[in-house]
Amino acid sequence: IEHAYEKVSEASDVVLMEGTGHCAVGSVVGVNNAQVAGMLGASMILIANGGLGSAFDELELNRVLCEKYNVPIAGVVINKVIPSKYDQTKHYMSKAFQDSWGVPLLGCIPDRPFLGCPALADLERLFKAELVSGQKHRFRHYSVDDMNLITTSLTRFLENIRTKHPRTLYVCHVTRDDIILGFMAEFQRNRRDDERPFEASLLVCGRKGKYQMADEVRDMFEGLDGAPVMVVEYSTHQAMNMIHNFTPKLNIDDKNRVRKAVEHYEPYIDFDLLLERTS
């Protein structure tokens, strides 16, 4: 760790080290985040999700560990604050950290749910699968709240896809050939009639070794590059649970989400004070 830090420092004006979770992570092997910061002489910026009492209590546990390893706390950032409680949270947290710890609140960030919405590329990594069509939409994002398990007839499904939120992630079982073919046909009809943008996607589920998509159906995806479809080897229940429990990470390829994150966070963080406290 020391060698890597020295090599990076030689070529950099600023070195930003991201901790792996809370300050105690790594204690089982004797190298927790607070120990690493102390070993390298780095100051710490503590980050917690929005709230008042619970957030402060969580951060207090981390502060104690920083104190044990003589790590100076440069400040605190409160993330994902409920917008309606933003002013209240910023006011009380600023006062609490200054009065109790003598450190400033460097940032208070209102929540923006879009940044936590998985893109289809994230789901490819989650399921270790690839889109069988619609690859150009890999970085289209979907809200978990707009995920819809199809258990109805084809007629009701078509009514739904034409009237509900256009950017919906539909989930069906691999044995529902009617839904799969109906989805493809609806995409073609939508494109022919030039209606609203077709932004729906289809996740086709079937446990490995028990269910699989018929070759005749899979062949029909050839050339259907505008409608995103992914086939995964999990049951519908497993797949939906995995998505609900999944936290997508920022990555350099998802340029839209990175840009949105920068635009959202930058105005709410006092970078001048941050640099002053960490210099």
Side-chain angles (χ1 to χ4, degrees):
I1 293 172
E2 290 178 321
H3 176 69
Y5 175 73
E6 290 171 2
K7 293 291 290 184
V8 173
S9 296
E10 290 172 2
S12 309
D13 296 322
V14 176
V15 179
L16 174 65
M17 293 169 278
E18 182 182 5
T20 53
H22 55 77
C23 285
V25 171
S27 296
V28 68
V29 292
V31 191
N32 65 45
N33 288 320
Q35 284 175 279
V36 172
M39 177 176 69
L40 300 178
S43 53
M44 182 86 74
I45 297 172
L46 297 177
I47 302 173
N49 284 339
L52 292 174
S54 59
F56 190 90
D57 294 346
E58 176 186 331
L59 289 167
E60 175 65 14
L61 295 173
N62 289 273
R63 183 197 67 80
V64 171
L65 207 55
C66 288
E67 185 176 66
K68 176 180 178 181
Y69 292 103
N70 299 311
V71 178
I73 298 175
V76 176
V77 173
I78 302 297
N79 193 26
K80 296 184 178 179
V81 177
I82 297 173
S84 62
K85 296 184 178 180
Y86 177 80
D87 291 335
Q88 177 193 50
T89 300
K90 183 177 181 180
H91 171 75
Y92 284 110
M93 284 304 206
S94 296
K95 187 175 187 337
F97 292 126
Q98 196 64 55
D99 293 350
S100 301
W101 300 357
V103 301
L105 181 67
L106 296 174
C108 188
I109 321 295
D111 189 25
R112 183 168 186 185
F114 164 78
L115 298 175
C117 293
L120 293 174
D122 296 314
L123 299 185
E124 286 183 318
R125 285 188 287 271
L126 174 65
F127 294 119
K128 296 180 175 58
E130 295 182 354
L131 289 164
V132 296
S133 68
Q135 290 84 356
K136 66 182 180 181
H137 299 301
R138 292 181 68 243
F139 294 107
R140 180 180 286 170
H141 298 84
Y142 291 85
S143 169
V144 174
D145 294 334
D146 292 321
M147 183 165 56
N148 192 324
L149 174 63
I150 305 166
T151 59
T152 59
S153 66
L154 173 60
T155 301
R156 183 57 59 88
F157 166 64
L158 293 176
E159 291 175 358
N160 189 297
I161 202 172
R162 293 175 188 178
T163 59
K164 300 297 184 183
H165 191 284
R167 187 168 294 196
T168 296
L169 174 61
Y170 291 98
V171 181
C172 78
H173 195 262
V174 71
T175 56
R176 291 296 305 270
D177 292 344
D178 59 331
I179 297 298
I180 298 169
L181 297 177
F183 179 83
M184 296 192 304
E186 178 62 17
F187 165 71
Q188 298 288 5
R189 187 199 67 81
N190 184 282
R191 185 165 63 175
R192 181 197 67 207
D193 295 345
D194 195 25
E195 293 186 354
R196 64 180 184 173
F198 190 92
E199 297 184 336
S201 64
L202 183 64
L203 187 69
V204 181
C205 304
R207 280 181 290 173
K208 184 177 182 180
K210 189 171 183 180
Y211 301 102
Q212 62 183 15
M213 181 179 289
D215 292 337
E216 294 83 358
V217 175
R218 186 180 288 270
D219 289 343
M220 296 184 70
F221 287 111
E222 292 294 329
L224 198 70
D225 63 340
V229 177
M230 189 184 307
V231 182
V232 301
E233 297 178 334
Y234 296 90
S235 69
T236 54
H237 177 72
Q238 289 173 320
M240 294 184 73
N241 271 345
M242 290 170 69
I243 295 174
H244 274 290
N245 295 326
F246 178 59
T247 302
K249 303 296 184 182
L250 287 173
N251 66 81
I252 195 170
D253 296 317
D254 194 344
K255 296 180 181 179
N256 182 45
R257 182 158 53 189
V258 171
R259 177 174 56 82
K260 293 290 186 182
V262 172
E263 291 174 352
H264 180 63
Y265 277 78
E266 191 170 20
Y268 294 101
I269 297 176
D270 189 337
F271 285 98
D272 291 333
L273 181 58
L274 186 154
L275 292 172
E276 177 185 323
R277 295 277 300 177
T278 54
S279 299

